[in-house]
């Protein structure tokens, strides 16, 4: 998978090249037959013959251009694959509001452009049920919100996938746009499709959604 070019695009270009090649061969056959069967007393007009040669050259150039573009596409795909594979074991942040609750809890990164003292944070399970709600005051900029996995009633929620919603409001009650990101360790990379997908805490994320990559701290020690 990796690429910046989809498999469908690559196969499409290959098909186009094949079509051009077939037309190119047909053109050669017709031109050869025309030269062999022309009337010696009325030879092919030089201007018309020159125009055909120009067309011949244009078709040949189209073939070479397509081959060059295909080579560039493959090179880009290989570079993207290598980049994606290098993320395995790294901690990444990616656009999105869904992450996994582990034994250490769950965490999201957020960004708001102005202070939001009247903010409501809501956590929902995979079925969309609200399990936790909290009123908080957020400062402008980038921050981290952590959830310990307990519901609003104090019940310990099962490990799994949860989604956060940040309803940020300023002192006047006006909505403040907020963006959220999830964080986790890359466990695997799928390069079988048009774009590489990273598996982070069981979630499949497109490579394009990744915003930061960093080394994963080594836990434990002697």
């Amino acid at each position: 998978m990796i690429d910046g070019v989809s498999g469908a695009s690559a196969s499409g270009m290959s098909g186009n090249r094949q079509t051009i090649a077939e037309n190119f061969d047909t053109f050669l056959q017709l031109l050869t037959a025309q030269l062999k069967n022309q009337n010696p007393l009325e030879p092919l007009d030089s201007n018309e013959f020159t125009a055909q040669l120009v067309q011949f050259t244009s078709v040949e150039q189209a073939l070479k251009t397509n081959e060059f573009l295909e080579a560039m596409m493959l090179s880009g795909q290989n570079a993207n694959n290598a980049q994606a594979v290098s993320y395995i074991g790294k901690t990444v942040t990616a656009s999105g509001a869904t992450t996994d609750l582990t034994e250490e809890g769950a965490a999201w990164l957020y960004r708001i452009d102005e202070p939001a003292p009247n903010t409501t944070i809501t956590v929902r399970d995979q079925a969309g049920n609200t399990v936790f709600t909290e009123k908080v005051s957020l400062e402008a900029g980038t921050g981290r919100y952590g959830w310990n996995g307990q519901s609003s009633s104090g019940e310990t929620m099962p490990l799994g996938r949860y989604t956060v919603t940040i309803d940020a409001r300023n002192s006047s009650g006006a909505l403040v746009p907020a963006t959220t990101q999830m964080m986790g360790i890359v466990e695997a990379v799928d390069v079988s499709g048009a774009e590489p997908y990273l598996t982070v805490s069981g979630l499949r994320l497109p490579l394009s959604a990744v915003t930061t990559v960093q080394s994963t701290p080594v836990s434990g020690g002697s």
Side-chain angles (χ1 to χ4, degrees):
M1 163 188 297
I2 262 181
D3 64 343
V5 183
S6 69
S9 298
S11 61
M13 178 165 286
S14 178
N16 291 339
R17 186 178 68 175
Q18 182 177 357
T19 300
I20 293 176
E22 291 173 352
N23 293 339
F24 183 68
D25 291 339
T26 301
F27 176 80
L28 282 178
Q29 293 173 9
L30 291 174
L31 181 61
T32 301
Q34 185 179 19
L35 291 174
K36 286 183 177 179
N37 297 288
Q38 65 178 331
N39 187 342
L41 301 178
E42 296 180 4
L44 184 67
D45 180 78
S46 60
N47 292 331
E48 182 179 354
F49 184 70
T50 299
Q52 290 181 348
L53 289 179
V54 170
Q55 182 182 2
F56 174 91
T57 303
S58 298
V59 174
E60 183 181 24
Q61 186 61 41
L63 280 172
K64 292 181 178 179
T65 300
N66 271 20
E67 290 175 354
F68 176 71
L69 289 176
E70 275 196 47
M72 289 183 62
M73 287 168 57
L74 290 175
S75 176
Q77 289 175 351
N78 291 336
N80 282 342
N81 283 333
Q83 179 188 22
V85 170
S86 70
Y87 287 174
I88 295 177
K90 300 290 182 63
T91 297
V92 300
T93 56
S95 301
T98 301
T99 192
D100 267 19
L101 171 64
T102 66
E103 294 180 353
E104 288 74 34
W108 293 268
L109 299 180
Y110 65 85
R111 178 174 179 79
I112 56 176
D113 293 331
E114 62 177 284
N118 303 311
T119 296
T120 301
I121 293 183
T122 304
V123 178
R124 295 181 174 85
D125 61 18
Q126 294 187 66
N129 301 313
T130 298
V131 298
F132 179 78
T133 301
E134 182 181 17
K135 299 282 188 179
V136 297
S137 177
L138 301 180
E139 298 295 331
T142 300
R144 179 182 183 276
Y145 180 76
W147 176 53
N148 62 8
Q150 291 188 348
S151 68
S152 296
S153 61
E155 177 187 1
T156 299
M157 301 305 298
L159 304 183
R161 196 166 299 178
Y162 292 84
T163 300
V164 71
T165 300
I166 300 178
D167 182 20
R169 304 275 173 170
N170 61 21
S171 57
S172 300
L175 181 66
V176 177
T179 58
T180 55
Q181 295 180 318
M182 57 82 64
M183 178 188 301
I185 299 175
V186 179
E187 302 161 348
V189 176
D190 180 1
V191 295
S192 63
E195 180 180 4
Y197 271 74
L198 311 180
T199 300
V200 180
S201 300
L203 298 173
R204 279 173 51 83
L205 302 173
L207 183 62
S208 58
V210 174
T211 54
T212 66
V213 183
Q214 60 186 18
S215 299
T216 301
V218 178
S219 59
S222 55

